[in-house]
Every structure is written in structure tokens, then in C-alpha cells.
Amino acid sequence: MPLHEFDCSKVIPERKQHAVVKGREEDLTSCLPKGYLNTIPGSISERGCAYCGAKHVIGTPMKDVIHISHGPVGCTYDTWQTKRYLSDNNNFQLKYTFASDVKEKHIVFGADKLLKSNIIDAFKAFPDIKRMTVYQTCATALIGDDIEAICDDVMEEMPDVDIFVCNSPGFAGPSQSAGHHKINIAWVNNKVGTVEPEITSDYVINYVGEYNIQGDQEIMQDYFKRMGIQILSTFTGNGSYDDLRGMHRAHLNVLECARSAEYICDELRARYGIPRMDIDGFGFKALAGSLKKIGLFFGIEDRAQAIIDEEVARWQPELDWYKERLKGKKLCLWPGGSKLWHWAHTLEEDLGIRIVSVYTKFGHQGDMEKGISRCSEGALAIDDPNELETLEVMEKLKPDLILTGKRPGEVAKKVRVPYLNAHAYHNGPYKGFEGWVRFARDIYNAIYSPLHQLAFTDISKDDFATDKGFMTRRMISDVDLDDEVKNNTELREYTGGFDSVSKLHDREYPEFESQSAPAAAE
Amino acid sequence: MQETIENKVGDLLSFIMKNSLWQFNSRGWDRRKQSEGVLTKVSELLCDEPVSKETPADKCYYAEAQCVVDGFNKNFPWLKDLSKDEIKALIHQLHERLDYQTIDASLNAELTVKNY
Ligand code: SF4
């Protein structure tokens, strides 16, 4: 096994099992790091806790819900507003966060009464919102408050409200991934099947593992609607609580982030016979294949093809403009979980970028299998990295760009390596054909930012020309380009404007004649 | 000749590993079901044989298989020169190597976990 030992982690020998280099003849039988294990003491992990995974990633994107954490206010504060999962109800779930504000005295005397009065207060403060999720945290799990019993009491007193209890305290597993698992299973056990949805199409899906980061869900929803597909629910970006109670009536579960939401798809497959179809919503080729695949399932692949043809014709010249300028750039793909495999091959194929390292903070070995399969030879794959290791990689591999979250991103900036936010995005949405061009534009802007060039000038030491003005991005990126490319009038920079989502709200969708009385998968 | 077939199977396998996701369900038993379901239909489609789309699971395997076949036809033009028997033998070997890599010789310690 081509294990990689970091100089900075020699004092933590167990870390060696968590990094591999993909060599020429390597495949998954010889090249796979360990994963989803407790962080090794001494290694300062970038992971979140299981409560964070349940609430921050999966719970909170549900839009018409009061999200209340039963615990100290710090837990909820750290999971508030740091991810841009938008919603079309004026972002209620992003604007407000709730906590029962547990203090020392409650740890001694119990916090159940406190929780009950806070739940009632929250419903009274927002009388239009009738749904709530209560999240367990470490402190309240340890004192043993019976949250289910409290919520049952409230629901009896307030019959028009419905409450979901998410029992995933921070210590419930090695990382946020444990929380993804727990909330998936709790939702399918307690809420799926408790509402009968209205079926309006012959083709009905749940769109699962999609969190509407900067509008991603709305972009994909547009394609599905153009194909005449009914989206029964989105788990959970821009998703409605009651829609998600009716997930059992879909014909197909279309799954994006398998890391965070495969569990509910697997359970819906086992309990209701709804197949699970994993797709890629990113990248031209991968997205086209995914739309086609969904079309094939329903026998409407011609509708998918029409959308693909239209979108590719509109956006390919703009993607290619960036490709010409990004070819050969080296990139570290360091997201949390699923984007390491969603993006690895598409960035290489669509933009000619070379992925020199992939890492995952909380992914499992299955995510690494996908990531390693999809990236090229020579890539360094790291599980649960610590900050010193990432600094070492940046120093040795000298990437042109890091795609990661904002905490490690700020570390990268300090060593003058540009970064883009892989979790909450810079100027997304990045899904869809137009979104992928926006992503290419952001990558281009980051790599060729004149600021980074200036940052490398040490004004206390270096001589620098005082008679020259700023370089523009274009001056930097086009310096070695062939004239043929420079003068190519077919290619153009992104023309889509600042907001690529609002225009979809006015779109009129085709009416397709129903082929048969809709039947649910049973 | 033997080596050529092995190389060809290797090319098909690399294509699947890079472009598909269905082979990576998180448990070993599930992976075996998926590869059986999809690759059986890949073989049928390549040999112009009827493909069952009766159940929701069948439809899903078919959709995945058709995408694999489209990719194969685009990237490996030599496929159309093979006889049906040769295609079947090729997909059989592909199936064996895929199961070996993703299940039987896999280093993924979670494949044998009982629950999802
Ligand atoms: S680990 Fe526990 S105390 Fe810390 S944020 Fe998570 S739930 Fe709160």
C-alpha cells in the first residue's frame, strides 16, 4: 500500500494509515486510506460533531421549521448561518435559530421544563410556523432529558403543531457523519408515511442529498420541471417538512450527496421499494449523463436530451473560454465529504485541471474509493487531515488553488494560496450547466487574481517597479496563450449575470399529457 | 490475445470506476446486487437482446446500464467488431474484476457492517 507519511505527523505514527498516493498500477485493492474512525489524539481535526452533522447539514435546510437545540447556546450558535442553504420562504431557517439555553443549574436540576416552555414560546413568537425540530446536544443527552415525552406533551396541548426529535448529541460518533446517519434514520422512522402527498405527474421523484447551496436545488428543479417530473420533496435543501413526510410515494429517489443521505434512500428502497439512483449534478458531461439516466428510468430520455442540447449549446463556449486558461493548473480538492468525488473527474475533464490531492474531513472509505477512482495518478488522498498536514501539502505540491471550507481556506490564504469555498461557494450556484461555468469563472478569478501576485511581493525586501500599474487577470492569464485562442470569437467569458436563479422563477413549464393514472412504487 | 482481452476489460473497468456511481453502494451484498443487476443489462443491451423493465428496480438497472453502454460505444469503437459470444465473455470478465475490486479484495472495512 502506497502510504504517505507526513513529516509533521511522524510523532503520530497512526496517521500514516490515513494518507495514500495513487500510483501508476494502483487500484482500490492496494490504495485506500483508513476512514471514519475516531480522530487520533494529538491530531487537531477539522471535523464537526455529530449534532452539527445532524442539524447544520441536514436538519436546518428544511425551510418551514423552527430549529431548536436543546443545550447550551454555544452549540446552536456554531451551527447558525455559516452555510448558505437558501429557501424560497424568505430564508426563515437561515435567519432564525433557537436554543433552550441550558445553564449549570439545569444540568443539576433538569432542563425538561425549560425546554417545554421554550418550545411553546417559540411557536407563539412565530405563529405562522407550525413545525419544529428539536436537536439533542451533549449536555442534555448526559442528564437524560426525555425530549420525546416533552414534545408529545406539547403536541397534545397544541394540536396544530408537529415536532420532530433528532437525538444526535455531539459525542454520538467520530464526526458529523454520525449525525447524518442518525437524522436520516430518525426521519424515516418517525415522519415518512405520516402525510399522503398529492401526485400530479406520471414521473415522481424525491431529490435527496441536495441542500440548495446558493440555489443549487432550484437549478436542478428547473431541469426536472422542464422534463415534466414532479419533485415530491427535497431532502433537505429548500425542503418542506410536510413534503418530506410524504417521501414514501415517490417512484425514484435521485441521490446527490450519498455521504449524507444514502441512508434514507436505502431505507426507502428496503421499506417501500423505491429505487435509489446516484447522480452527479456538477459538470457538463456528468450532469448530462445524470439527466439522461433519470429520463431513461421514466422513458422520457428525449426530454432530457432536448434540455442537454439546449444548455450545452448556450454554455459550452463560455466553459471553453475558461478551459483554455485553466488547463494544467494544479488543484487540491479538499471538501468535507462528497464533493471530492463529485468534482474530481469533472474538473479534470471539463476544465483540464489536474487534481494533485483529495481529502475528506468526515467521509468514509467509500467516499475515498470514489474519489481515488476518479482522480488521476499521483494524487495524494488524505483522510481527516490536520492543519499542519495541509500546510505541508501546500508547501510541497504548490497547488494553484485549494477548494475547501472557510476555516482551512483562511489557512491557505495565509500562505498565499488562493482558495474557493467548496461548502458554501463563492458566487454559486455551481450546479447545472450555467452553474459549472460560474464555478469555472470563480476558479479563474481566484487563480489569476492580481491580489495574489501582489501578495507575493515583499515590499520590505523586494525591488519592485514603481512605474507599472496593476496587472489585470486577463493580462496574467493570456500571457502564454496562442493567438488562435486569444482571437477566437466563438469563445467568451461568462455572460450570465450576477443572479442566475431569480430568472427561473418566471419560467413557464410545459404541460405534458398524462400517460396513465399515477401509481406509487410499492 | 489473452493480454489484449485483459487490457480491454481493464479499459471498460476504468470507465465504470471513473464515470459510474452504482458500483459503490456502501455494503458488500448491495454492491454484488448492483453489479449483477446493471452488468446483466449491459450485456443484454450490447447483444441487442430484450431487456426487462418490469419492476422499479429493473428500470433503475436498465437506466444505469444504458448510460454505461452509451459510454462504452462512444469510447471503445472496437466493441462493435465483437461477436455476441465475445461480448458476453468480455462482460463476464468485467463483472468478475469489478466484484473483485469493489467487494472481494476491497480494503473498505465498512462493506461487512450489518446495518446501512
Ligand atoms: S460536541 Fe456537544 S457540546 Fe460541542 S457543539 Fe457538539 S453538541 Fe454541542
Side-chain angles (χ1 to χ4, degrees):
Chain A
M1 170 114 61
L3 297 174
H4 177 82
E5 184 168 42
F6 290 97
D7 291 340
C8 61
S9 290
K10 283 202 160 78
V11 287
I12 319 172
E14 301 94 320
R15 279 294 303 154
K16 201 175 164 186
Q17 301 290 327
H18 292 260
V20 297
V21 177
K22 181 177 178 178
R24 179 171 284 277
E25 296 298 320
E26 303 293 343
D27 63 27
L28 296 177
T29 62
S30 59
C31 177
L32 189 70
K34 286 192 171 171
Y36 194 54
L37 297 171
N38 288 336
T39 295
I40 302 156
S43 185
I44 309 289
S45 176
E46 293 170 353
R47 288 168 159 177
C49 69
Y51 149 84
C52 172
K55 175 178 186 272
H56 183 44
V57 177
I58 297 187
T60 328
M62 281 191 212
K63 62 186 174 187
D64 44 7
V65 181
I66 291 170
H67 296 278
I68 185 166
S69 302
H70 186 35
V73 77
C75 302
T76 204
Y77 187 79
D78 284 343
T79 56
W80 182 33
Q81 278 199 343
T82 53
K83 213 161 179 177
R84 290 183 260 184
Y85 27 62
L86 309 179
S87 63
D88 57 15
N89 65 343
N90 206 11
N91 299 311
F92 173 80
Q93 87 292 356
L94 268 183
K95 282 194 281 194
Y96 301 103
T97 194
F98 303 79
S100 57
D101 194 17
V102 166
K103 299 268 192 330
E104 287 95 326
K105 68 175 179 190
H106 303 113
I107 301 296
V108 178
F109 298 110
D112 44 357
K113 289 191 190 67
L114 176 79
L115 176 63
K116 186 173 173 187
S117 72
N118 278 345
I119 290 176
I120 293 168
D121 285 352
F123 275 129
K124 284 189 178 151
F126 293 91
D128 293 340
I129 305 285
K130 300 289 182 197
R131 302 290 176 256
M132 175 181 282
T133 299
V134 181
Y135 301 89
Q136 180 75 280
T137 64
C138 294
T140 48
L142 287 172
I143 62 172
D145 277 349
D146 188 348
I147 299 181
E148 272 95 358
I150 298 162
C151 294
D152 285 347
D153 265 7
V154 175
M155 283 193 280
E156 225 177 282
E157 286 171 32
M158 302 175 79
D160 57 342
V161 306
D162 196 84
I163 306 176
F164 167 58
V165 177
C166 174
N167 197 348
S168 177
F171 56 72
S175 70
Q176 53 264 62
S177 183
H180 307 155
H181 189 185
K182 288 194 178 303
I183 195 168
N184 271 245
I185 301 298
W187 187 263
V188 78
N189 280 345
N190 297 308
K191 293 299 167 197
V192 172
T194 58
V195 157
E196 280 306 318
E198 188 191 352
I199 304 295
T200 57
S201 165
D202 291 347
Y203 316 112
V204 186
I205 63 168
N206 294 312
Y207 187 28
V208 184
E210 156 55 50
Y211 303 104
N212 201 31
I213 307 296
Q214 285 202 310
D216 271 355
Q217 186 261 5
E218 293 186 74
I219 300 292
M220 295 297 285
Q221 178 171 269
D222 172 60
Y223 299 144
F224 296 145
K225 283 186 180 168
R226 282 155 74 183
M227 287 166 72
I229 292 173
Q230 180 187 0
I231 305 136
L232 205 53
S233 69
T234 304
F235 188 91
T236 57
N238 200 23
S240 154
Y241 187 101
D242 282 356
D243 289 349
L244 284 155
R245 294 164 80 185
M247 290 180 92
H248 59 298
R249 290 298 177 206
H251 305 157
L252 179 68
N253 285 316
V254 173
L255 175 60
E256 285 263 11
C257 176
R259 178 64 286 125
S260 62
E262 66 173 359
Y263 316 101
I264 197 159
C265 288
D266 289 339
E267 288 299 327
L268 290 168
R269 189 178 51 167
R271 298 181 197 194
Y272 299 97
I274 309 170
R276 152 187 172 176
M277 181 181 277
D278 294 43
I279 68 155
D280 290 293
F282 299 102
F284 273 39
K285 207 176 114 196
L287 170 60
S290 297
L291 292 176
K292 189 83 185 284
K293 193 161 73 169
I294 296 165
L296 282 161
F297 178 88
F298 289 118
I300 51 171
E301 58 272 26
D302 49 331
R303 296 183 193 171
Q305 193 59 51
I307 293 169
I308 295 163
D309 293 345
E310 186 187 329
E311 294 287 324
V312 170
R314 169 68 182 84
W315 298 110
Q316 189 77 53
E318 302 192 4
L319 189 76
D320 289 347
W321 190 93
Y322 293 103
K323 182 175 186 175
E324 290 296 344
R325 288 155 179 87
L326 294 172
K327 265 190 240 168
K329 291 291 171 198
K330 292 190 292 180
L331 196 147
C332 287
L333 182 46
W334 289 348
S338 64
K339 288 196 182 89
L340 83 107
W341 40 271
H342 275 313
W343 288 354
H345 66 320
T346 41
L347 284 170
E348 294 195 344
E349 276 173 17
D350 288 343
L351 292 169
I353 283 170
R354 196 153 69 83
I355 306 295
V356 292
S357 174
V358 288
Y359 87 33
T360 172
K361 295 184 180 72
F362 56 81
H364 296 220
Q365 283 181 300
D367 298 286
M368 270 301 186
E369 285 180 306
K370 297 178 200 174
I372 289 172
S373 299
R374 286 183 157 188
C375 64
S376 300
E377 277 167 29
L380 170 60
I382 318 163
D383 169 67
D384 185 21
N386 61 49
E387 190 173 298
L388 293 176
E389 290 171 349
T390 58
L391 284 167
E392 191 174 315
V393 176
M394 285 188 268
E395 196 185 320
K396 292 209 167 132
L397 299 183
K398 304 211 174 339
D400 296 294
L401 180 75
I402 310 283
L403 293 174
T404 192
K406 63 185 176 351
R407 276 170 294 153
E410 293 304 319
V411 175
K413 270 198 211 161
K414 283 183 191 161
V415 292
R416 297 168 186 165
V417 177
Y419 104 95
L420 278 185
N421 192 332
H423 303 317
Y425 301 167
H426 270 65
N427 301 288
Y430 291 158
K431 270 190 184 159
F433 296 92
E434 181 176 358
W436 201 239
V437 179
R438 291 171 77 90
F439 191 31
R441 185 264 320 261
D442 280 2
I443 293 174
Y444 172 82
N445 282 348
I447 290 178
Y448 292 111
S449 167
L451 264 183
H452 286 289
Q453 237 187 21
L454 289 173
F456 276 103
T457 307
D458 181 348
I459 55 169
S460 69
K461 291 200 196 102
D462 297 344
D463 275 342
F464 55 95
T466 49
D467 57 341
K468 284 203 183 107
F470 281 101
M471 295 279 277
T472 63
R473 288 189 177 87
R474 200 63 190 274
M475 288 161 82
I476 305 168
S477 69
D478 286 10
V479 77
D480 292 325
L481 269 192
D482 287 347
D483 283 344
E484 204 185 319
V485 178
K486 263 192 253 181
N487 303 327
N488 187 327
T489 50
E490 304 278 295
L491 307 183
R492 56 180 187 265
E493 287 184 74
Y494 178 60
T495 56
F498 173 71
D499 173 6
S500 62
V501 178
S502 299
K503 64 186 176 191
L504 304 178
H505 299 160
D506 302 325
R507 196 194 275 276
E508 284 186 13
Y509 291 96
E511 300 257 337
F512 295 99
E513 210 171 295
S514 173
Q515 304 298 311
S516 63
E522 199 58 63
Chain B
M1 180 65 191
Q2 190 54 34
E3 209 217 35
T4 321
I5 287 179
E6 260 174 40
N7 286 348
K8 282 178 173 163
V9 172
D11 288 344
L12 300 180
L13 182 62
S14 300
F15 178 87
I16 288 176
M17 296 300 273
K18 203 157 196 141
N19 294 287
S20 304
L21 292 168
W22 49 262
Q23 72 277 23
F24 285 124
N25 280 11
S26 53
R27 300 294 174 252
W29 61 264
D30 205 359
R31 289 184 178 190
R32 215 175 288 284
K33 254 174 94 173
Q34 290 280 99
S35 64
E36 172 71 29
V38 177
L39 290 180
T40 302
K41 288 191 167 21
V42 166
S43 179
E44 289 166 356
L45 286 164
L46 285 171
C47 295
D48 291 323
E49 290 171 358
V51 178
S52 155
K53 297 176 216 166
E54 295 302 308
T55 66
D58 273 342
K59 282 202 274 181
C60 200
Y61 293 141
Y62 156 71
E64 296 283 7
Q66 185 64 61
C67 289
V68 170
V69 168
D70 289 347
F72 280 1
N73 285 334
K74 192 164 167 212
N75 292 283
F76 310 111
W78 45 260
L79 261 174
K80 67 176 182 326
D81 301 328
L82 301 185
S83 70
K84 286 188 180 181
D85 285 344
E86 284 170 321
I87 288 175
K88 282 188 177 151
L90 195 76
I91 301 299
H92 179 72
Q93 279 196 38
L94 172 67
H95 192 166
E96 280 182 350
R97 276 181 61 181
L98 180 73
D99 279 358
Y100 179 77
Q101 196 174 127
T102 59
I103 308 166
D104 302 308
S106 168
L107 300 169
N108 184 343
E110 287 185 31
L111 292 185
T112 51
V113 172
K114 285 238 159 40
N115 300 328
Y116 281 127

